[in-house]
Amino acid sequence: MSQQHYSLLQLNQLVRDVLEDALPDEYWVEAELSECREHGGHCYMELIEKDEHSNTPVARASAKCWRQTWVMVKPYFERTTGQPLRAGMKVLLRVYAQFHEAYGFSWIVSDIDPTYTLGDMARKRQEIIRQLKEEGVFDMQRELHIPIFAKRIAIISAQNAAGYGDFCRQLEDNDYGFRFEVTLFPAIMQGEQVEASVVDALNKIYQRIGDFDVVCILRGGGATADLSGFDTLALAENVAQFPLPVITGIGHERDESILDMVANTRVKTPTAAAALLIDNLLRVLEQLDDASHRIVYAINQRLTNQKTRIATLTTLIPTLALRLVSNQRHRIETTENRLPIAIERRLTNQKHLLESISLKLQGFDPQLLLSRGYSITLHNGRAVRDPQQLKAGDEIETRVEKGNIKSIVK
């Protein structure tokens, strides 16, 4: 019994016919992009679905968006989401099945719903924000203050970016003659390499942390659609915990990126960041001018008060001098009047004291004692108080009221 044989082309045509009959409609499918690339005006995608618990791929498929469709859906998607299609993104695609005899099976994309991707992006952003808050780092940058004399600026930007050039010109051409020290740390500011590049630049700045007052992350002049690199957890953690104030001027009008949310200060453009730094120094200048004026006013007020006081004293000095002279004259006159009385009283007191002393001395006069019948015995001119002081043969003298008696001790 003979069997029917098919060529590969015939078999593939058979498969194509079966698929076209079995899947004649278009279908909306949810998937994650594992790969997305443009070539020749077409977009080639690799779709994947992962197990929500184990994150293991459970389905894969190829998809293509032909040029005539891609030129319409691409700009609409980017305007709506603010980002280009990229790997890792969740998408909702309208597709139909196509089997080509030479290239095999593929899903052909006829439309993309950007609102689905927006929802997924929002969920991821909220999850990152929640995690940053749980880690306690979300508001750490706001606890820092831009120094009042912030002049040493570390810049993270693409070296040839128009925004970086605008920032530098704005600082150099300020109307107040302020001088800033700007140091560029080049980084990739667009695409999937933003996170790693900016984190590397932050690490380099950290190694010279004492050389700078503030960090500016600037982006301008590039495609406004590709800002996904500024919505990553790792970059947000690095910026949130950086020890210097971080100013972002990423140059976009859409909702804040996560990087903007955790930064110390967010402005829309690089030139706005330059204006912020100029205004910061201007406020300091105004404060110094105000303090200078207040100091001058206080000094002038003090001088005026002292002049008034001196003038008042000058007026009062003659009166005070006359009053002082008058008081001293009165004091002298009073003293002159009291002096004779005081002298006479002092002489009387001294006279009475002398009389009292004289009376006391009279009571101790030896002659008075002799007149009362007492005698004094002397040996060698000294009074004898104890007979043991004498020995036989000593000559002694006895004084009585009417004369002296000399005797020999036997």
Side-chain angles (χ1 to χ4, degrees):
M1 182 178 177
S2 63
Q3 295 181 344
Q4 182 177 2
H5 295 269
Y6 295 92
S7 69
L8 180 58
L9 177 60
Q10 290 172 332
L11 185 60
N12 282 354
Q13 288 174 340
L14 178 60
V15 173
R16 182 194 64 190
D17 295 339
V18 170
L19 285 175
E20 289 178 354
D21 291 339
L23 300 172
D25 301 320
E26 294 187 344
Y27 307 92
W28 285 101
V29 60
E30 300 174 357
E32 179 181 327
L33 293 175
S34 64
E35 186 178 338
C36 183
R37 66 185 188 281
E38 291 186 61
H39 181 70
H42 311 297
C43 182
Y44 298 90
M45 310 173 195
E46 293 295 326
L47 308 180
I48 192 173
E49 180 179 343
K50 299 177 181 177
D51 182 90
E52 62 180 12
H53 301 293
S54 64
N55 211 34
T56 302
V58 295
R60 295 179 182 274
S62 296
K64 301 179 180 67
C65 187
W66 303 126
R67 181 189 296 112
Q68 64 272 19
T69 303
W70 182 241
V71 295
M72 293 185 293
V73 300
K74 175 185 176 181
Y76 175 65
F77 181 89
E78 292 182 351
R79 282 196 307 271
T80 304
T81 64
Q83 299 189 29
L85 279 169
R86 56 179 175 82
M89 188 174 282
K90 291 285 186 68
V91 291
L92 180 61
L93 309 174
R94 188 169 68 183
V95 299
Y96 60 89
Q98 184 181 80
F99 188 88
H100 191 277
E101 292 85 343
Y103 303 108
F105 176 81
S106 182
W107 293 105
I108 306 302
V109 178
S110 61
D111 198 4
I112 304 175
D113 184 357
T115 59
Y116 176 87
T117 303
L118 272 177
D120 182 68
M121 290 165 55
R123 285 190 295 272
K124 288 182 179 178
R125 282 163 55 89
Q126 290 303 315
E127 176 61 24
I128 292 174
I129 292 170
R130 182 193 63 77
Q131 187 168 342
L132 291 170
K133 290 182 177 179
E134 286 183 355
E135 293 173 359
V137 302
F138 188 79
D139 294 316
M140 285 184 67
Q141 269 283 314
R142 294 193 228 319
E143 297 174 5
L144 304 177
H145 299 284
I146 297 175
I148 57 175
F149 293 104
K151 299 178 67 177
R152 304 174 301 164
I153 317 301
I155 307 297
I156 298 177
S157 182
Q159 187 162 9
N160 298 320
Y164 169 62
D166 293 341
F167 175 86
C168 292
R169 283 189 293 274
Q170 182 95 346
L171 290 184
E172 291 172 0
D173 299 336
N174 70 84
D175 296 332
Y176 311 100
F178 300 146
R179 291 292 174 262
F180 295 87
E181 300 173 17
V182 176
T183 304
L184 175 66
F185 292 82
I188 297 171
M189 304 303 288
Q190 185 170 317
E192 297 179 10
Q193 300 181 59
V194 168
E195 177 188 291
S197 184
V198 174
V199 170
D200 180 65
L202 286 171
N203 290 335
K204 291 177 180 177
I205 295 171
Y206 184 78
Q207 293 173 1
R208 299 173 51 188
I209 196 74
D211 295 339
F212 305 107
D213 302 314
V214 69
V215 177
C216 290
I217 300 178
L218 308 177
R219 178 185 184 274
T224 58
D226 192 2
L227 294 162
S228 58
F230 301 102
D231 279 337
T232 70
L233 177 62
L235 179 56
E237 287 175 332
N238 274 270
V239 169
Q241 299 178 81
F242 203 73
L244 293 179
V246 176
I247 300 171
T248 58
I250 301 177
H252 60 95
E253 299 293 335
R254 69 178 180 87
D255 293 341
E256 289 181 308
S257 68
I258 295 177
L259 179 65
D260 291 324
M261 293 179 185
V262 299
N264 177 275
T265 306
R266 178 248 179 169
V267 293
K268 292 182 179 180
T269 63
T271 53
L276 174 71
L277 293 170
I278 294 170
D279 289 344
N280 184 65
L281 282 185
L282 180 59
R283 283 194 299 272
V284 176
L285 179 61
E286 291 173 346
Q287 291 171 0
L288 292 175
D289 286 343
D290 180 65
S292 175
H293 292 153
R294 285 189 281 110
I295 291 172
V296 171
Y297 175 79
I299 292 174
N300 288 334
Q301 190 68 28
R302 186 70 178 269
L303 290 173
T304 300
N305 293 339
Q306 292 301 321
K307 288 178 180 178
T308 302
R309 184 180 179 187
I310 291 171
T312 302
L313 289 174
T314 302
T315 304
L316 293 175
I317 283 174
T319 303
L320 293 173
L322 290 173
R323 184 181 300 169
L324 180 61
V325 170
S326 177
N327 291 339
Q328 293 300 321
R329 182 180 295 149
H330 176 72
R331 184 178 178 184
I332 291 171
E333 291 174 353
T334 302
T335 302
E336 287 178 347
N337 294 332
R338 291 177 179 176
L339 187 59
I341 298 173
I343 291 173
E344 184 178 355
R345 183 180 300 159
R346 182 68 178 270
L347 290 174
T348 300
N349 291 337
Q350 293 299 317
K351 182 179 179 181
H352 291 163
L353 180 62
L354 289 174
E355 290 175 351
S356 175
I357 293 172
S358 176
L359 290 174
K360 289 181 180 180
L361 289 175
Q362 289 177 6
F364 294 103
D365 186 357
Q367 192 62 38
L368 181 62
L369 293 174
L370 294 176
S371 67
R372 292 177 181 175
Y374 293 98
S375 64
I376 299 174
T377 300
L378 302 175
H379 178 250
N380 295 329
R382 294 183 178 182
V384 178
R385 297 177 181 275
D386 185 356
Q388 300 297 326
Q389 294 177 322
L390 303 175
K391 62 183 183 290
D394 287 340
E395 182 177 317
I396 59 175
E397 181 180 358
T398 302
R399 290 182 182 181
V400 295
E401 180 183 6
K402 299 296 184 177
N404 297 335
I405 302 171
K406 293 184 178 182
S407 304
I408 302 296
V409 176
K410 294 182 178 183

